[in-house]
Structure formats: C-alpha cells, structure tokens
Amino acid sequence: MQGTIIRAKGMPSEKTEQFVLSVIVPVLNEVESLPALLGRVIKPGIEVIVVDGGSTDGSGALAQSLGAKVLYTGIPCRPIQLNTGASAATAPLYWFVHADTLPPQDAISKILNATDLNKNFGCFRFKFQSTSRQLSLNSYCTRMPFMICRGGDQSLFITKSLFEKLGGYSEKHVVMEDYDIIRRGRKYETFHILPFDVEVSARKYNSNSYVRVNLANFLVFTLYYMGVSPRRLKSIYSKLIRHPKFGMPDK
C-alpha cells in the first residue's frame, strides 16, 4: 500500500479506543453528501476516517466537525485515498464507502451480523437515487454474483488481514480498482453480496447518456480482463465519460 498521509486532523490520542469496524470514506468536494452519510456511520465503537483528496469546498473541515477523523492526501486518486485511510485504521474490519453513498440506517449491524457468520468479504446491493426504469435494471443486476455487476458504489467490507494479504488497493488502477481488489480477494475468500441496498448517486448518468455510460463501463471492463494497462484504461474511460467532478473517476 503506497498511500501517504500528508496532513491529518482528529487522529486518535495515545490512548486508542478499541473499534470493531473502520469506515473509510474517500472525498473530493462532497460537502453536500457527507452529512447524510456520516449521520449513519458515526456510532460508538465505530472508527470513521474521511480521506480528502484536495477538496476546495470545506469537505474535510465539515467531516471533522461531524466527528470523523480526517486525513488529507492532496491527491484526488481514489485507490491512494482508500489505502491511506486503511493505513491509519485500527479496527480488524474495514468498510469502504463512497461519500455519495447512503447506506441503510442499520448497515453496520448488517455487516457485523454477516461477519459473525464468517462472511468476512463482500458488499451490499445498490439502487440508484433515480426514478429511471433503466437504472432500476442496473440496480437489480447488483444482486447477481457476476463480476461485471460489481463496482465501488456497492461499498466493500473486508477484514484487515485479507486487505493486508492483498497489499490493499492497486494504486495503478485509477479506474477498476474495486473490481481488481475483489478479483484478487476471491482467490482467498468467498465474496458475499448482502441482500440489502445502499442508495447511490445517479450523477454520472445525469452528465452522460444511459447508453454511453453502460457502453463505456462494458468496454473498460472487457479491456481490463484482456490485460490492457491501467494507464490506458484510465485514458479511454476519461475520454468516454464526462464526470461531474474532474479527477475522481466513478468506476
């Protein structure tokens, strides 16, 4: 894991609390989304680490005021941010959640209940915050066990031991980083899809057509499995998709 903490605020004191779960949230200009998410994950016994990749809207300060630990990398690169958060996490179980994701109120209990059943590696299903019938189909597909139905928005939970065995997220994969860690992790652990939905933003589809996004996703997914380099995948995806926040690919 190559992520480096540049600055940190709200870090634990020498007397460290014992946490059962570390929630790691990468952010870049998410001041509108953070209150809803943090309101559902900041709980006793839960460590919440927000990793700011260079926000200009005060996301980091807001997260700290709401009770999260905040790290600043100054690099808007999701795998670097995720690894940076993991390097500071102290719980035996990690849960990686995108800032614009809204989990169920009892999502943490659902994860802990799953791990009690030795389901130590997995994610939730998701549904888009949209009334589009087309996006409803995409949401439905996330309950299926196929790799093409996966993605970071579903929020990955993984034990610290497995995460470290895998060397964390590949920082070469600025796109496909979630697929890549799941693909590698499945060699050691069964991957479980919990039968509950997290809500995710449809903003990528609002900035591009439904067909364009799905064709771009399918193309990059296929090229990834063909062994195309991460740099080339990033270049292709960036040319195909107009993202509402430059520097944070949503794949």
Side-chain angles (χ1 to χ4, degrees):
M1 293 176 281
Q2 301 300 316
T4 302
I5 300 172
I6 307 303
R7 293 189 291 127
K9 294 183 179 179
M11 294 297 291
S13 62
E14 292 182 5
K15 185 177 180 181
T16 304
E17 182 178 352
Q18 296 297 308
F19 297 107
V20 296
L21 175 69
S22 294
V23 183
I24 299 166
V25 184
V27 304
L28 181 68
N29 295 331
E30 290 287 0
V31 73
E32 293 183 2
S33 302
L34 278 170
L37 169 62
L38 296 183
R40 295 196 177 185
V41 299
I42 293 180
K43 301 177 183 293
I46 305 301
E47 180 178 47
V48 179
I49 302 174
V50 168
V51 188
D52 194 326
S55 296
T56 57
D57 66 349
S59 289
L62 173 64
Q64 186 183 359
S65 73
L66 294 173
K69 302 170 188 176
V70 180
L71 310 181
Y72 294 84
T73 64
I75 303 172
C77 175
R78 187 170 288 142
I80 289 178
Q81 291 171 255
L82 296 170
N83 284 342
T84 297
S87 70
T90 62
L93 181 66
Y94 300 159
W95 182 26
F96 298 97
V97 187
H98 290 187
D100 59 350
T101 297
L102 188 63
Q105 290 281 4
D106 58 348
I108 289 173
S109 295
K110 294 182 186 304
I111 292 174
L112 296 178
N113 289 341
T115 59
D116 286 342
L117 299 173
N118 292 319
K119 297 179 180 180
N120 297 317
F121 181 41
C123 69
F124 288 89
R125 307 177 313 201
F126 77 57
K127 63 179 179 181
F128 283 100
Q129 296 168 339
S130 170
T131 58
S132 165
R133 291 186 179 181
Q134 294 170 313
L135 291 181
S136 294
L137 174 61
N138 286 37
S139 300
Y140 180 84
C141 289
T142 64
R143 68 189 60 204
M144 299 179 182
F146 311 116
M147 280 296 292
I148 198 170
C149 297
R150 304 279 65 79
D153 287 329
Q154 292 156 81
S155 65
L156 176 75
F157 63 89
I158 183 173
T159 59
K160 176 181 179 179
S161 58
L162 178 57
F163 187 82
E164 291 182 343
K165 179 184 291 187
L166 298 176
Y169 284 90
S170 169
E171 295 180 5
K172 297 183 298 183
H173 284 286
V174 179
V175 294
M176 299 298 292
E177 76 279 358
D178 296 291
Y179 291 92
D180 180 72
I181 196 170
I182 293 172
R183 185 186 186 191
R184 290 184 286 121
R186 287 173 63 179
K187 297 177 181 178
Y188 301 97
E189 292 270 359
T190 301
F191 190 78
H192 300 274
I193 304 169
L194 302 188
F196 311 100
D197 296 325
V198 294
E199 296 180 27
V200 301
S201 169
R203 59 189 175 190
K204 181 168 57 176
Y205 289 88
N206 295 334
S207 302
N208 303 269
S209 73
Y210 175 84
V211 172
R212 186 181 186 90
V213 173
N214 282 278
L215 286 177
N217 288 349
F218 181 76
L219 175 61
V220 172
F221 179 86
T222 302
L223 293 176
Y224 165 78
Y225 273 91
M226 291 174 62
V228 173
S229 73
R231 179 176 295 183
R232 180 63 176 154
L233 292 178
K234 177 187 176 183
S235 175
I236 292 171
Y237 193 71
S238 298
K239 290 177 181 177
L240 291 174
I241 296 297
R242 296 184 300 275
H243 194 276
K245 292 189 304 175
F246 175 78
M248 282 287 281
D250 227 0
K251 189 76 170 67

